[in-house]
């Protein structure tokens, strides 16, 4: 694991903002800095609903102060008014975010910075990839938990993903809709069925 220093005050913020430590938490960091890498609100809501009902998880909404993140949050709450979301979007600092991520049981996220920070903190990440490749930009200790439609999307456009330039993005409207809700729910089930000590790949340098 990386040594990411988290000050005591940030941990105190997380303790005050989140349920008791024994409660399983699904963190959702729904938005990247590139809007076309983001999944849709309905997908996030259905996974959150399943996590809450099937696994007894509390759902924590994480993110910054951007308009896109606020809009995503509002869409999710409108689609699932029955879910008691813990809404921390735009309410934390960077160090407080690290403390929050460290408390998550699982983080659900597209290709975004918090996914890598969570991975560095030893938190499993259910990554969502279609516009970009998880093999190239995914959370390095949770690649086995990524839904990756990048090869499929490339093939649909007449390309072979293995021949595309490193870091090539397939960012176009609706690309992330290639990710299915049922397969994402199934991946969450598989992750949670795995003993905690075996949920992360060994920490090592990744080359490529």
């Amino acid at each position: 694991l990386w040594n990411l220093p988290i000050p005591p005050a940030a941990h105190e913020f997380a303790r005050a903002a989140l349920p008791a430590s024994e409660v399983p938490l699904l963190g959702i960091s729904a938005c990247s800095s590139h809007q076309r890498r983001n999944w849709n609100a309905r997908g996030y809501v259905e996974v959150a609903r399943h996590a809450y009902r099937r696994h007894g998880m509390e759902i924590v909404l994480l993110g910054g102060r951007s308009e896109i993140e606020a809009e995503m949050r509002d869409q999710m709450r409108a689609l699932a008014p029955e879910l008691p979301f813990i809404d921390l979007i735009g309410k934390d600092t960077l160090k407080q975010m690290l403390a929050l991520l460290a408390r998550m049981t699982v983080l659900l996220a597209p290709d975004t910075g918090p996914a890598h920070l969570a991975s560095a903190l030893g938190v499993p990440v259910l990554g969502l990839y279609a516009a970009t490749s998880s093999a190239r930009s995914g959370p390095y200790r949770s690649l086995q938990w990524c839904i990756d439609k990048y090869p499929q999307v490339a093939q649909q456009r007449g390309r072979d993903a293995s021949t595309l330039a490193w870091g090539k993005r397939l960012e176009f409207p609706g690309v992330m809709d290639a990710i299915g809700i049922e397969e994402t729910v199934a991946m969450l089930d598989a992750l949670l069925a795995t003993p905690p000590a075996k949920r992360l790949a060994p920490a090592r340098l990744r080359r490529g």
Side-chain angles (χ1 to χ4, degrees), residues 37 109-112 115-116 119 125-154 161-162 164-170 175-176 179 187 201 206-208:
R37 297 182 194 176
D111 185 0
T112 187
H116 298 287
S119 187
V125 179
L126 202 172
L128 305 174
Y129 292 79
T132 56
S133 167
S134 68
R136 298 174 181 179
S137 59
Y140 77 113
R141 300 193 68 195
S142 292
L143 298 181
Q144 70 273 35
W145 306 124
C146 290
I147 306 290
D148 193 334
K149 297 296 184 178
Y150 184 81
Q152 173 185 312
V153 170
S162 66
L164 294 177
W166 185 264
K168 172 68 176 177
R169 301 166 183 166
L170 302 176
V175 62
M176 292 293 286
I179 297 171
M187 188 67 82
R206 185 176 62 178
R207 298 179 180 178

Side-chain angles (χ1 to χ4, degrees), residues 7-203:
H11 283 300
E12 182 58 35
F13 172 86
R15 282 192 291 270
L18 298 172
S21 59
E22 64 270 15
V23 177
L25 302 176
L26 174 66
I28 300 180
S29 182
C31 297
S32 78
S33 57
H34 300 262
Q35 189 169 8
R36 290 176 181 173
R37 297 182 194 176
N38 299 339
W39 203 26
N40 55 76
R42 179 173 174 268
Y44 287 123
V45 160
E46 291 302 330
V47 177
R49 188 175 277 132
H50 177 82
Y52 180 76
R53 293 177 177 176
R54 174 72 178 273
H55 299 289
M57 303 183 83
E58 295 293 330
I59 313 302
V60 185
L61 303 182
L62 301 167
R65 295 169 175 79
S66 71
E67 184 176 341
I68 291 173
E69 288 165 301
E71 289 176 355
M72 178 69 80
R73 183 264 318 280
D74 293 345
Q75 290 175 32
M76 291 173 65
R77 295 181 71 170
L79 288 168
E82 81 282 6
L83 288 180
F85 292 114
I86 300 172
D87 177 15
L88 298 177
I89 291 176
K91 298 178 181 178
D92 57 359
T93 65
L94 176 58
K95 292 180 179 179
Q96 289 169 344
M97 180 187 69
L98 290 173
L100 293 171
L101 287 172
R103 289 280 305 277
M104 297 301 111
T105 307
V106 181
L107 180 70
L108 175 64
D111 185 0
T112 187
H116 298 287
L117 293 173
S119 187
L121 290 165
V123 175
V125 179
L126 202 172
L128 305 174
Y129 292 79
T132 56
S133 167
S134 68
R136 298 174 181 179
S137 59
Y140 77 113
R141 300 193 68 195
S142 292
L143 298 181
Q144 70 273 35
W145 306 124
C146 290
I147 306 290
D148 193 334
K149 297 296 184 178
Y150 184 81
Q152 173 185 312
V153 170
Q155 185 177 39
Q156 290 171 349
R157 296 198 150 222
R159 308 291 296 276
D160 181 345
S162 66
T163 66
L164 294 177
W166 185 264
K168 172 68 176 177
R169 301 166 183 166
L170 302 176
E171 295 178 335
F172 56 87
V175 62
M176 292 293 286
D177 292 339
I179 297 171
I181 293 172
E182 290 185 2
E183 64 183 333
T184 308
V185 165
M187 188 67 82
L188 176 65
D189 289 343
L191 192 163
L192 293 174
T194 301
K198 297 183 178 181
R199 290 176 183 173
L200 294 173

